[in-house]
Amino acid sequence: MADSSKKMQIVFASAECAPFVKTGGLGDVAGSLPAALVRAGAEVIVMVPKYATIKDEYKSQMEHFSDFYVSLGWRNEYCGLEKLEHDGVTYMFIDNERYFARDYPYGFFDDGERFAFFSKAITESLQHLPAGFECDILHCNDWQTALAPVFLREFYQGLPLYDRVKTVFSIHNVAFQGQFSDTVMEDILGVAHIPAAASQLRCDACSVNYMLGALRYADAITTVSPTYANEIQTPEFGEGLDGVLRERSYALQGILNGIDVAVFDPATDKRIAANYTVDDRSGKAVCKAKLQEELGLEVRDDRPLMVMVTRLTRQKGMDLVMYALDRILAGGVQVAVLGTGDRDYEDGLRYFQDKYPGTMAARIEFDPALSQRMYAAADMFLMPSKFEPCGLSQIIAMRYGTLPIVRETGGLKDTVIPYNEFTGEGTGFSFSNFNGDEMGDAVFRAARLFWDNREAWNQLVTQAMSQDFSWTRSADKYLDLYFFMHPEIERPAAVEAAAAVEEPVAAEEPKAEEKPIEAEPAKAEPEVKAEVAPEAEVEVKPAAKPAAKKTTTRKMTAKKATTTKAAATKTAAAKTTAAKATTTRKRATAAAKKAAEAESAPEVKTEVAEAKPAAKAPAKTTAKKSTASKTTTAKKTTAAKKTTATKSTTTKAAAKPAVKVEETTAESKAEATVEAKPAAKTTTRKRTTTAKKTTAKTTTPKAETKPAAAKEELKAEVKTKPTPKAAEVKTAPKAPTKKTSVRKATATRKRR
């Protein structure tokens, strides 16, 4: 049973976290996602190494919370927990100066030992958290924390405190895996004597892979976009881990990153030349002119300004940029690039700056303030990545009204909607292949729209700025995963309501429509007791599955047949009729649905009154019902549609007395049974011996326990019994029974 008093308690572990330490997108995620989870009602503790590079203003706010020793191979290393509350989130900094008192977070010879210690310290810290905080989810990020799920399973599993801990591992970039010599297996990790751990960490004869361990040991795996989750299961993008990712694809899902919309807000950002909003973008023109002047470009508003803020590496598409830049600059597009990276690319950008003065600007440096001014000032943002797990730059660009030009890969494909010149939809421009000419074409598609159709361009900017890339939506997806792993914890009502908005899209399963016969009885049976009026049947059934619009006639027939269960009329004949009715599911149209609902709308008494004459003169009634019920099929083959209408009518007629019987006393039920028996005698006198047996079984409750035998006998009756004469039909009693329905169905079948 769900615990309504307990909140979801999450430990979020990351090697970097803004604003304390940040080298890339991981720092942005760790700095924003926990705060969004807290706003959604969860309790979160973020664990980060206490680097020497953290600003003193934050260090001065930390309070010493706890200290203990962590065993790492043959070592016992000191670990301190320094607590800091910041923007509603609790941070625990792992303190060990031997490992973390350095000038930069990564890039040292002993990184394998440093982050093995960090992972072990995380798992050990779970028993030193504030009172009342019992970790439900341990969420680890990238290779620096990848050993935490391994250590938890091998060294802590079975301890009461750790039994409830579920592990989630997030891949932010599968290219960085943490591969080290296998000498760390015993010397540092202390798992060489554990065959399962040793074999699952080893990636070749002499190496271990930290990320591989997490992929095998974590309870759930996430990555930062749905497309990237699919890509990394292929050899092209999997970086050697595609095999294990395919094996664990059932535990893998992609959840898009968001951005801090309060920090990246052109209406309030103090780092840009002028503020502006989606409704009043006059400030953006001011930002453009100021940046052109700052970078030494021609100050012109009639030339599109395209910028890049990136690492200068092949992964970021710099090969394509070097190939197409001459064509782009010669074509009249201004370009400004900010970043550092490979020397060849840096020199190439300086060359084009000298060749195209006033049109090209290269800033080979790291300058966050300048990057913000470039996001706000530019018209276009170029991001032609070879692969991109999610990417934040294109999201920030759209937030500032700068249209992204991206390659369709990973998160770029998931976040940027390509412009459609016929419908006007889109939030940017894209190209498919990692090809310099395709990239150049995409740039000039954007430039031509800027030059030739400024109205369409402005509409595209409006659409881009209106996108919702806040962390709220992403946090809801993560909470879906957390609560799935801990069903005993009750989800807060506010969170449930937020998640319910997107639920119908994910819940719709068109395949369910292909198997209606199996699913139908299970849905109909629980509703038998609650049904009193036909109106309830019509309203409840469509609500069960919005996709099954074409099955209204079938659903009504099957459900009404089910309501006769209380009167012992849920027999093989009824099942056969319902089954036949299902064959017309694909033929039924929207008009058929409306007519069927109209038929079922009157009161129960009215339908029972109509059912009696149906028994006396079925031939005439059949014609009328066929006309009324369509419309059922006025536009299709008359014979086939009359059969459908007849089956629907006979089943309904047989079902109505059952509804009436449910509302009567036991004495009334007995009287109804007595009246039904003469009907059986009257009709069976003129039937064959086989037909008599079938009728007898139809009227007895025992037939309900042998549907297979009843169906076989019914088939025999259909094959041997001739078409009933008019005289036989007229002798039928007023009270309709199941065998009457069978006879009608048989008669209409023969006529076809």
Side-chain angles (χ1 to χ4, degrees), residues 451-687:
W451 285 317
D452 301 339
N453 193 343
R454 191 60 67 90
E455 182 180 351
W457 175 273
N458 290 335
Q459 178 59 32
L460 209 56
V461 172
T462 299
Q463 291 164 189
M465 295 184 71
S466 301
Q467 297 296 302
D468 176 19
F469 289 115
S470 70
W471 272 107
T472 302
R473 182 172 58 177
S474 300
D476 285 341
K477 295 289 187 182
Y478 281 107
L479 285 171
D480 287 342
L481 175 61
Y482 299 158
F483 281 102
F484 174 78
M485 301 171 76
H486 275 289
E488 77 281 0
I489 302 177
E490 183 175 340
R491 190 165 186 174
V495 179
E496 288 178 342
V501 175
E502 298 181 356
E503 184 63 24
V505 178
E508 278 192 345
E509 293 288 347
K511 293 182 180 179
E513 188 178 342
E514 298 173 6
K515 299 180 180 180
I517 300 176
E518 296 177 2
E520 196 65 31
K523 294 181 181 178
E525 279 188 341
E527 299 171 358
V528 172
K529 295 182 180 179
E531 289 176 355
V532 176
E535 289 83 346
E537 297 172 5
V538 177
E539 292 174 1
V540 174
K541 200 64 188 176
K545 206 68 174 177
K549 293 180 179 179
K550 297 182 179 181
T551 61
T552 304
T553 305
R554 174 187 57 74
K555 288 181 177 180
M556 290 172 56
T557 304
K559 176 172 281 189
K560 291 177 181 178
T562 304
T563 60
T564 65
K565 182 178 179 181
T569 56
K570 183 180 180 181
T571 62
K575 290 182 179 179
T576 303
T577 305
K580 290 179 180 179
T582 61
T583 61
T584 62
R585 170 170 60 82
K586 294 183 179 179
R587 301 173 188 169
T589 61
K593 175 182 174 182
K594 293 180 180 179
E597 291 176 349
E599 271 190 300
S600 62
E603 297 291 338
V604 176
K605 295 180 180 179
T606 305
E607 291 193 339
V608 172
E610 292 176 359
K612 292 181 178 180
K616 292 181 179 179
K620 296 180 180 180
T621 305
T622 299
K624 293 178 181 179
K625 290 292 183 178
S626 298
T627 304
S629 273
K630 277 220 195 18
T631 266
T632 5
T633 55
K635 296 179 180 179
K636 303 207 175 181
T637 310
T638 306
K641 291 309 174 174
K642 287 184 179 181
T643 303
T644 302
T646 304
K647 292 176 183 177
S648 178
T649 304
T650 55
T651 306
K652 183 187 300 183
K656 294 308 170 185
V659 177
K660 186 174 181 180
V661 170
E662 287 179 2
E663 300 173 349
T664 63
T665 62
E667 294 179 0
S668 300
K669 292 180 180 179
E671 292 177 2
T673 304
V674 171
E675 292 177 2
K677 288 180 179 179
K681 293 178 182 179
T682 304
T683 55
T684 55
R685 286 172 185 163
K686 297 185 180 182
R687 292 176 180 268

Side-chain angles (χ1 to χ4, degrees), residues 59-80:
K59 289 182 179 178
S60 63
Q61 299 175 31
M62 298 178 188
E63 61 173 287
H64 183 72
F65 181 78
S66 178
D67 57 75
F68 46 88
Y69 282 85
V70 173
S71 62
L72 195 67
W74 50 267
R75 308 162 187 76
N76 276 326
E77 293 288 346
Y78 169 84
C79 177

